[in-house]
Amino acid sequence: MSAPLLETARLTLEIGGRQVCRELDLTVRHGERWGILGINGVGKTTLLHTLGGLRPPLSGEIRLDGRPLAVLPRRRAARLCGLLFQDQSDPFPSTLLETALIGRHPHLGRWQREGPQDQAIALDALEQVGLATMAGRLAHTLSGGERRRLALATLLTQDPQLYLLDEPTNHLDLRQQIAVLDLLGRKAREQRKAVVMILHDINLAARCCDRVLYLFGAGETLHGPAREMLTEANLTRLYGHPVASVAGENGPVYYPV
């Protein structure tokens, strides 16, 4: 059996003097889709950035493809792991195609320029998120939802094995939310990519995640298969507000009481 894509061993994180997680042991394997759930300010983004190597943990170890992330060359790490940030900015004027091509940087040499194959990969990524017909348009003219899809296209162009996504459905309407999550599901199912994403919608997590990780605050965590973890009792405790469910066509549907 191949090594897990991502492992943490006794991982402890703090931000602003508060523990995000304490001695967290986590294993993310090829083809799995994980959801990270918790209230605002509990440290979900901090955890995601730490898993992506953007900040060091207080203690413990993170391994990517069987190797300690701390010693993995950054170019190799970027080929294995890609991060979608919560919000995107456009510091320089560029077209959608030029923006998506940024995802090819980990695959190019220091002075190497993007070639026809790189452009084809970027155009295909734009096609997958429904933006191919706008490839020549300037990115700063897009709506918030279109920018979100462009950011995802850039990550698809990068083509990592592990997707770390901070609220991938942010700014998207219902149809686009489902389209994006179904796209990520196909990546996991057909290409054996792993997906770890922060979500705020319980029902989207139930629909598209195999496993979930709860951040309760004060370092306490809980994780396991989604079908076992997504219970009224767990969710009520997690959010500090009563959560109930009703039977739906594809399983329970959750709502605040």
Side-chain angles (χ1 to χ4, degrees):
M1 180 180 295
S2 61
L5 268 177
L6 177 71
E7 294 177 280
T8 70
R10 302 176 68 86
L11 185 70
T12 299
L13 307 180
E14 285 188 1
I15 183 170
R18 297 176 299 160
Q19 279 196 339
V20 175
C21 61
R22 180 174 58 252
E23 298 190 346
L24 174 64
D25 293 325
L26 196 68
T27 300
V28 178
R29 301 187 181 279
H30 293 261
E32 289 184 341
R33 298 169 298 166
W34 282 76
I36 301 177
L37 281 70
I39 62 173
N40 292 338
V42 79
K44 300 183 295 296
T45 294
T46 297
L47 173 59
L48 201 73
H49 287 185
T50 303
L51 295 177
L54 298 186
R55 57 179 296 150
L58 184 65
S59 62
E61 185 180 55
I62 302 170
R63 292 187 291 272
L64 193 58
D65 199 31
R67 296 181 60 186
L69 179 59
V71 302
L72 200 64
R74 296 309 302 168
R75 186 178 296 273
R76 173 60 178 164
R79 291 179 179 179
L80 287 170
C81 175
L83 180 62
L84 179 72
F85 292 92
Q86 189 175 111
D87 293 299
Q88 307 295 135
S89 61
D90 304 307
F92 305 104
S94 59
T95 66
L96 274 64
L97 178 58
E98 291 167 339
T99 302
L101 278 169
I102 294 172
R104 297 307 298 163
H105 289 181
H107 303 274
L108 303 174
R110 185 181 298 271
W111 305 112
Q112 186 178 359
R113 293 180 60 86
E114 302 92 344
Q117 183 178 2
D118 301 301
Q119 293 208 18
I121 292 171
L123 284 170
D124 179 65
L126 290 170
E127 178 69 33
Q128 291 180 65
V129 300
L131 295 176
T133 59
M134 303 162 62
R137 183 169 160 181
L138 290 175
H140 74 269
T141 67
L142 299 180
S143 70
E146 289 168 336
R147 289 189 186 202
R148 200 66 179 149
R149 288 152 58 199
L150 175 59
L152 179 58
T154 303
L155 196 60
L156 295 174
T157 303
Q158 183 179 337
D159 192 31
Q161 295 300 303
L162 172 65
Y163 290 82
L164 300 177
L165 310 170
D166 197 343
E167 299 184 42
T169 58
N170 196 22
H171 300 302
L172 298 181
D173 60 46
L174 178 61
R175 181 175 66 88
Q176 290 296 341
Q177 288 179 13
I178 299 304
V180 162
L181 293 175
D182 284 352
L183 171 61
L184 293 169
R186 291 194 299 274
K187 294 290 180 184
R189 185 172 58 255
E190 298 171 5
Q191 300 180 19
R192 307 301 295 165
K193 309 287 190 181
V195 179
V196 178
M197 51 190 161
I198 295 171
L199 294 170
H200 283 293
D201 189 314
I202 302 168
N203 293 304
L204 288 180
R207 176 189 175 98
C208 68
C209 294
D210 309 304
R211 306 180 72 84
V212 296
L213 167 65
Y214 291 148
L215 299 185
F216 288 103
E220 186 180 359
T221 62
L222 186 67
H223 61 84
R227 63 182 180 276
E228 298 175 9
M229 297 288 295
L230 293 170
T231 66
E232 293 178 358
N234 280 345
L235 293 167
T236 294
R237 180 175 169 230
L238 181 70
Y239 292 109
H241 186 90
V243 174
S245 63
V246 295
E249 183 177 343
N250 297 310
V253 176
Y254 302 92
Y255 64 96
V257 177

